[in-house]
Amino acid sequence: MNALLSTAISGLVLMFVGLFVKNRQSIKYFAIAALLVAFVANLFDVAWIIHHKQGYTAYEHMITVSLFTTVFNAVILGSTLVYYLLSGSEFEKVGENVAEYFALQFFILAGIMLATSFSNLLILFLAIEIMSIPQYILAGSDKHNLKSNEASLKYFLMGSFSTGILLMGIVLIYGGSGSFDLEHLGIGAMALSPLTLVGILLMVFAMSFKVSAAPFHFWTPDVYDGSPTVFTAFMATVVKAGGFVAFIRLFQIAFKGGIVSPQWELVLEVITAATLIIGNITAVYQQSVKRMLSYSSIAQAGFMLFALLSFNMRAEQGILLYAAAYSLATIGAFSVLLKMNDYTFDGFNGLARKEPLLAFGMTICLFSLAGIPLTAGFFAKYFVLAAAVQQGGMLWLVIIAIVCAAISVYYYFKVIIAMYFKAGDPEVATPSNAYKTMLVITVALVILLGIFPNLLLKWL
């Protein structure tokens, strides 16, 4: 709750900061300070819950704050801090409204805080909208770029369509159960009416759209590719992780167990398999590293769906570690991409000779995304797959995931081969010392979590 209020207030303040502060660097530092305040506010919640050994509810039980909620919020805020330190200076290259860009991202963070703690379907709807609407604006913030305008329009139209489906699902579930409260829906414990069953399916489809799960992923590559790269990094990491936690919270609390679970679980298993296969196969054929990372984000969503299918403690650990590992590695990779003038694979030829630190940072981040041992991505994949094995009945899906992970090595290593083994003279912006320091810290965190995952998991 403290983090939610802090991010919302910071967003409002930042909207007016641009009227009085013209120095863009000062606006960035203000945003970083506001983020630190939110992080500290969230730590108060963590300390309170640990001290009382239980969570708490607020606003007539419409919000429930648990230890998992607060630890996940800490991961989200920490990832955003890394993102600001690595890429915050790039905001001013998009357009004039730097303060408004930061404000919109703080509103998205407020939506994520709401999504991690909702206990009522109306709050879920509100959280999804607060997360989505600022993204439509950020996607089109490069006003003089037709691809950016197209991405914004496409995102808005597809997002509105999925919001309509989500709302219809909520209405049907309310009609079948008579409640919006997750704890009182009673969906998992009894036979369902056709009305409620259709409502559940509509919500599965709508949430699948929000997290880019196949076959509802088709908007993702065009939107990610057309949006300003600095905002794509935020949308593909922090926002996606927030969407997944909302998805997991909904299905693990409201729809857990009961005689209909095998039916919707089968639907989710098919969606997971399709997401893994389509994301990885399509990424192989991309000619642009940015589009490859876009399809890679779809493939990574397939792994995160395992946490949704597995109702156990390891699944909670898995999604927490996955959110941290995936966010750090992808933010690091996109920060290197922002320094490049050419986003094609050939554009990376010879980068290791010209900027060895950038090439090294990119390599570690790609290792993590591929799940190579001694990086955070390895344990992230291990935990979500182990949760599925522990749950039982999904061995076929785990085998598909392992095969897809092997396929992903091919397209991630194409970038590494270009940087280290191909001759070229890439056009790259000279990184500042502050950027180099932050990239080294990001890489160190990726390796540290890959060796000691309990540094994060012990808080659960």
Side-chain angles (χ1 to χ4, degrees):
M1 275 298 297
N2 291 331
L4 168 62
L5 294 173
S6 179
T7 50
I9 292 170
S10 297
L12 287 172
V13 172
L14 274 162
M15 283 184 68
F16 296 99
V17 163
L19 294 174
F20 307 103
V21 180
K22 299 303 177 186
N23 187 311
R24 294 171 181 174
Q25 284 296 310
S26 299
I27 294 172
K28 186 186 93 169
Y29 294 138
F30 183 91
I32 290 172
L35 203 58
L36 289 172
V37 170
F39 192 85
V40 172
N42 187 63
L43 288 183
F44 279 110
D45 269 340
V46 175
W48 192 95
I49 292 172
I50 290 176
H51 178 71
H52 291 84
K53 298 180 179 177
Q54 63 177 7
Y56 64 88
T57 60
Y59 299 113
E60 302 295 331
H61 301 282
M62 297 183 88
I63 291 176
T64 302
V65 180
S66 64
L67 184 59
F68 176 80
T69 298
T70 51
V71 174
F72 188 86
N73 286 346
V75 169
I76 290 295
L77 292 170
S79 300
T80 307
L81 180 61
V82 171
Y83 164 71
Y84 280 175
L85 292 172
L86 271 174
S87 309
S89 302
E90 303 290 333
F91 282 29
E92 58 191 72
K93 296 180 181 175
V94 177
E96 299 291 327
N97 310 305
V98 174
E100 284 79 0
Y101 301 151
F102 281 110
L104 289 169
Q105 292 196 338
F106 270 88
F107 289 137
I108 292 172
L109 288 174
I112 294 173
M113 304 295 137
L114 208 54
T116 58
S117 56
F118 75 93
S119 52
N120 186 292
L121 292 180
L122 294 180
I123 297 295
L124 169 66
F125 177 76
L126 198 60
I128 294 294
E129 287 306 287
I130 294 173
M131 286 167 57
S132 300
I133 293 173
Q135 289 187 78
Y136 306 149
I137 302 169
L138 287 175
S141 52
D142 190 359
K143 295 178 183 176
H144 303 294
N145 187 332
L146 285 179
K147 284 181 71 176
S148 178
N149 295 335
E150 180 190 344
S152 181
L153 180 62
K154 186 174 287 186
Y155 202 4
F156 171 70
L157 293 175
M158 294 294 104
S160 302
F161 183 65
S162 73
T163 297
I165 293 175
L166 177 68
L167 197 56
M168 182 61 74
I170 291 174
V171 168
L172 293 180
I173 289 174
Y174 180 76
S177 66
S179 176
F180 288 123
D181 193 306
L182 292 191
E183 297 288 352
H184 299 108
L185 291 181
I187 289 174
M190 61 185 184
L192 298 184
S193 63
L195 198 67
T196 310
L197 194 57
V198 173
I200 292 175
L201 286 174
L202 289 179
M203 292 196 74
V204 170
F205 297 155
M207 294 302 292
S208 297
F209 173 91
K210 298 297 182 186
V211 299
S212 311
F216 309 98
H217 67 289
F218 40 82
W219 61 273
T220 310
D222 291 341
V223 171
Y224 282 10
D225 191 33
S227 302
T229 305
V230 67
F231 298 144
T232 303
F234 188 73
M235 289 191 278
T237 54
V238 174
V239 181
K240 184 186 281 281
F244 260 104
V245 167
F247 206 166
I248 290 170
R249 191 171 172 79
L250 174 66
F251 278 80
Q252 291 202 349
I253 295 177
F255 304 153
K256 181 180 179 181
I259 59 176
V260 294
S261 286
Q263 280 74 35
W264 63 258
E265 283 175 6
L266 178 62
V267 172
L268 280 176
E269 286 172 4
V270 172
I271 288 175
T272 303
T275 306
L276 286 166
I277 294 169
I278 292 174
N280 280 289
I281 298 296
T282 319
V284 168
Y285 295 99
Q286 299 308 306
Q287 301 301 315
S288 158
V289 174
K290 188 178 179 183
R291 282 189 74 86
M292 180 273 283
L293 288 172
S294 300
Y295 279 101
S296 152
S297 78
I298 297 170
Q300 300 286 348
F303 281 96
M304 285 189 260
L305 282 170
F306 277 98
L308 181 61
L309 287 163
S310 311
F311 301 117
N312 51 50
M313 183 62 185
R314 185 148 288 182
E316 280 194 6
Q317 293 175 328
I319 192 63
L320 183 67
L321 190 57
Y322 216 109
Y326 171 67
S327 296
L328 285 173
T330 306
I331 287 170
F334 268 102
S335 76
V336 175
L337 196 64
L338 280 166
K339 300 295 178 189
M340 306 298 295
N341 186 50
D342 183 356
Y343 288 171
T344 65
F345 285 88
D346 289 341
F348 281 76
N349 288 350
L351 181 64
R353 294 185 189 85
K354 192 164 187 176
E355 289 290 348
L357 184 63
L358 291 187
F360 175 73
M362 188 72 167
T363 301
I364 298 298
C365 291
L366 293 176
F367 275 178
S368 184
L369 290 173
I372 302 296
L374 298 182
T375 61
F378 171 76
F379 275 116
K381 285 184 169 59
Y382 169 78
F383 271 89
V384 292
L385 295 182
V389 171
Q390 188 177 341
Q391 187 73 15
M394 289 183 279
L395 189 59
W396 65 277
L397 201 54
V398 172
I399 293 172
I400 289 176
I402 292 171
V403 172
C404 287
I407 293 172
S408 73
V409 171
Y410 170 76
Y411 55 79
Y412 289 132
F413 272 56
K414 274 178 70 179
V415 183
I416 298 171
I417 290 170
M419 291 189 297
Y420 284 92
F421 300 107
K422 290 190 176 178
D425 185 21
E427 294 182 34
V428 53
T430 304
S432 65
N433 289 331
Y435 172 86
K436 288 179 179 177
T437 305
M438 198 56 221
L439 185 61
V440 170
I441 292 173
T442 305
V443 167
L445 287 173
V446 169
I447 295 173
L448 199 62
L449 283 177
I451 300 173
F452 306 109
N454 280 332
L455 288 174
L456 181 62
L457 301 181
K458 70 178 181 181
W459 293 100
L460 290 181

